[in-house]
Amino acid sequence: MSGLKKLHIILFTALSLFISGCSADNATTQTELTISAAASLREVMEETGQLYMKQNPGIKIVYNFGGSGSLQQQISQGAPVDLFISAAEDKFDYLYSKKLLHQEHSVRLLKNELVLITQKTSKGITSAESLTADNIKRIAIGTPESVPAGMYGKQALISLQLWDDLEQKIIPTKDVRQVLSYVETENVDAGIVYKTDALISDKVRIIPLEGKELHDPIVYPVGVVAATKHLNESVDFFNFLKRQEAMEIFKKYGFKAALE
């Protein structure tokens, strides 16, 4: 083999190793943001996150969905989270008051509604009052102490003067999506969920909860966690969620801007 050919092989090998090393460096420089968000936000946040990652290829977004109360406890105990989106202001305000959320990067972002749902084939339930019928045995709501949708649901049933009659029928769940699943699979006769949850399912029928001010306003606050190790990136994603392009996705799924 000629010396020139050997030189070409050496140079080619060195160039390949250099390119490979650059690719590895690029892969390792991607910043991962962990977003703890209310279970009712799963689909809309996944779509919103995909858009953001497409625009910002150096960012990888990882979600932790669950009941807002459980997520609040995780952050209180030091879980590595960058942003928190709650379905209840009290869970959010607790963290804010303890300065576990960034004081300058917190805002009320979205609004939602509460509805009653049952199976599409079920015709016996036409209102909340229908739940008192003897043939209605099981009604799912989120555990009121830890799941905001359950808290709002209990408030609504109390306002309608139905809670005492229905309490023995209540099946508490870990989050609002479990309520939806129980209704879809006919494990319960009915459930109370956010309107946005009901809209993603083709297996349930929506029954409006009639009456004004049956429960506290359903507001979703978002904030950067004070202990984040990626402050600049977290603030950028926080600001993105407030922009029009993100809000259009939220509205597509049935949410409203908190200021509307």
Side-chain angles (χ1 to χ4, degrees):
M1 183 182 294
S2 69
L4 183 59
K5 191 171 184 179
K6 286 182 180 179
L7 179 60
H8 285 164
I9 292 173
I10 292 170
L11 289 173
F12 178 78
T13 302
L15 181 61
S16 298
L17 290 172
F18 175 76
I19 293 172
S20 176
C22 288
S23 298
D25 288 342
N26 287 336
T28 58
T29 57
Q30 191 174 50
T31 299
E32 186 173 288
L33 297 181
T34 300
I35 315 299
S36 284
S40 52
L41 292 165
R42 180 180 295 273
E43 288 79 12
V44 69
M45 284 306 302
E46 286 176 345
E47 182 170 338
T48 305
Q50 286 296 326
L51 175 60
Y52 183 80
M53 287 188 287
K54 183 178 180 180
Q55 296 176 359
N56 299 270
I59 301 294
K60 179 181 180 183
I61 295 177
V62 177
Y63 290 107
N64 175 32
F65 294 107
S68 297
S70 298
L71 299 178
Q72 174 218 296
Q73 290 179 4
Q74 293 169 15
I75 294 171
S76 296
Q77 294 165 6
V81 177
D82 298 294
L83 270 86
F84 176 44
I85 313 177
S86 175
E89 293 186 273
D90 63 333
K91 313 299 182 189
F92 188 90
D93 290 346
Y94 173 83
L95 295 177
Y96 189 86
S97 69
K98 298 294 183 181
K99 297 189 177 179
L100 295 175
L101 296 175
H102 202 290
Q103 304 292 292
E104 297 178 8
H105 301 295
S106 297
V107 71
R108 272 53 181 162
L109 185 69
L110 303 169
K111 292 190 299 186
N112 210 338
E113 298 177 39
L114 206 64
V115 296
L116 179 66
I117 58 171
T118 187
Q119 295 83 28
K120 276 199 169 179
T121 55
S122 174
K123 303 300 181 184
I125 299 175
T126 58
S127 67
E129 287 73 14
S130 303
L131 300 176
T132 60
D134 291 340
N135 64 316
I136 305 300
K137 305 294 186 183
R138 294 161 63 88
I139 305 160
I141 69 171
T143 302
E145 293 74 25
S146 60
V147 180
M151 176 187 72
Y152 299 130
K154 181 177 179 179
Q155 289 176 353
L157 293 175
I158 290 173
S159 296
L160 293 167
Q161 299 183 349
L162 296 172
W163 178 257
D164 290 342
D165 293 331
L166 299 178
E167 187 173 5
Q168 297 304 312
K169 300 182 180 185
I170 297 296
I171 306 298
T173 69
K174 66 177 182 178
D175 58 43
V176 70
R177 286 304 172 87
Q178 193 171 56
V179 176
L180 180 64
S181 175
Y182 280 4
V183 175
E184 289 179 326
T185 55
E186 301 185 17
N187 282 301
V188 297
D189 300 297
I192 296 178
V193 299
Y194 298 123
K195 185 177 181 180
T196 52
D197 295 297
L199 290 174
I200 68 169
S201 175
D202 60 0
K203 298 178 181 178
V204 302
R205 180 165 56 87
I206 296 175
I207 300 135
L209 288 170
E210 301 294 345
K212 292 184 178 180
E213 299 180 358
L214 296 178
H215 51 75
D216 293 341
I218 302 173
V219 177
Y220 290 69
V222 56
V224 175
V225 176
T228 178
K229 295 181 180 179
H230 311 292
L231 180 59
N232 291 336
E233 294 86 350
S234 298
V235 169
D236 190 69
F237 184 60
F238 168 81
N239 288 330
F240 169 79
L241 293 177
K242 297 185 293 178
R243 293 208 293 265
Q244 186 63 31
E245 56 188 331
M247 199 56 62
E248 289 299 325
I249 299 175
F250 288 125
K251 289 180 178 179
K252 183 176 75 171
Y253 282 85
F255 292 92
K256 296 180 180 179
L259 298 179
E260 287 184 356

